[in-house]
Amino acid sequence: MRTQPNIIVTGTPGVGKTTHCETLAQNTGLKHMAINDVVKSRECHDGWDKEFGCWIVDEDKLLDVIEDEVKQGGYIIDWHACEVFPKSWIDLVVVLRVDSTVLYDRLKARNYAENKLQENLDSEIMEVLLQEARDAYDEEIVVELRSDTAEEMENNIERIESWITNWKKNNAAEKEQ
Ligand code: ADP
């Protein structure tokens, strides 16, 4: 049984996953696991997709590589996809959302090519990742949070931190029973 929860922070690129995860990791001691870095550094891929500008992820290898660590608990998993992780590993799924004009500006600032930018904007508008999270996990563990402004981010961080505190309390109580 885990003594610390595992949380997925997901959402369209540019929505604020890295920023949220880094702050949460600093404040809570949970570990930030950026899946993009894992895929690259531990070679869980079949090469680079030039058209989409991303790694072609070998999901089986990815799960094999992270399984022992994640099963111990205490990870904040940061990725634009979430359905690949087994339900039994995950305690909370946070789907960050952002206004499309704000997202446009953020991706533009990152010099995204026009086709990639448009694809991500469409994905955000169509709620693709929210739907994916709702399809893959029980609805009570999926939380949608807005990330347009710094103030919203602060509120989100506070909310997730109190969720973690409660999870630990409930978990400790369950263990004693
Ligand atoms: P992701 O990891 O989802 O691609 P990032 O965390 O890298 O997103 O954020 C993309 C950019 O948007 C960064 O420059 C970050 O500082 C900014 N940003 C993210 N969330 C917010 C927010 N809630 N308010 C203001 N700026 C934000």
Side-chain angles (χ1 to χ4, degrees):
M1 205 187 197
R2 293 187 281 274
T3 54
Q4 297 203 88
N6 285 324
I7 301 173
I8 296 177
V9 176
T10 190
T12 312
V15 83
K17 297 182 293 296
T18 310
T19 323
H20 277 73
C21 290
E22 282 175 352
T23 312
L24 275 170
Q26 266 172 15
N27 294 1
T28 64
L30 267 66
K31 291 184 272 301
H32 177 194
M33 181 180 269
I35 297 295
N36 279 338
D37 294 345
V38 175
V39 165
K40 195 174 158 193
S41 66
R42 289 152 99 173
E43 294 185 359
C44 309
H45 60 78
D46 301 315
W48 179 256
D49 185 324
K50 275 191 193 145
E51 193 188 340
F52 290 102
C54 60
W55 296 105
I56 303 160
V57 177
D58 178 341
E59 293 183 352
D60 291 335
K61 185 165 181 201
L62 170 66
L63 292 183
D64 274 354
V65 157
I66 63 172
E67 178 171 10
D68 288 347
E69 285 151 83
V70 174
K71 276 186 167 172
Q72 289 172 23
Y75 283 88
I76 307 170
I77 299 174
D78 166 359
W79 208 27
H80 60 266
C82 69
E83 64 188 358
V84 28
F85 307 105
K87 271 170 89 167
S88 62
W89 293 10
I90 305 301
D91 302 294
L92 180 71
V93 181
V94 176
V95 185
L96 296 178
R97 301 299 313 280
V98 69
D99 177 81
S100 49
T101 54
V102 176
L103 183 61
Y104 181 91
D105 291 343
R106 287 187 194 162
L107 295 180
K108 202 78 189 161
R110 273 187 182 174
N111 293 322
Y112 265 46
E114 203 58 40
N115 61 342
K116 213 174 155 192
L117 202 153
Q118 199 54 52
E119 189 194 331
N120 283 309
L121 279 181
D122 289 347
S123 164
E124 184 58 24
I125 293 163
M126 305 285 284
E127 308 193 326
V128 171
L129 295 170
L130 180 63
Q131 204 48 53
E132 181 183 313
R134 288 187 172 150
D135 290 344
Y137 298 95
D138 296 339
E139 69 177 304
E140 57 271 24
I141 74 157
V142 178
V143 183
E144 179 187 7
L145 296 176
R146 290 211 71 87
S147 171
D148 293 349
T149 63
E151 196 187 348
E152 281 174 339
M153 187 165 91
E154 270 174 38
N155 290 338
N156 296 342
I157 300 281
E158 263 177 41
R159 230 178 117 174
I160 299 167
E161 281 175 18
S162 46
W163 180 91
I164 294 170
T165 309
N166 278 332
W167 188 95
K168 286 187 188 163
K169 243 189 249 163
N170 293 339
N171 208 58
E174 244 176 58
K175 264 191 162 174
E176 278 168 18
Q177 276 170 13

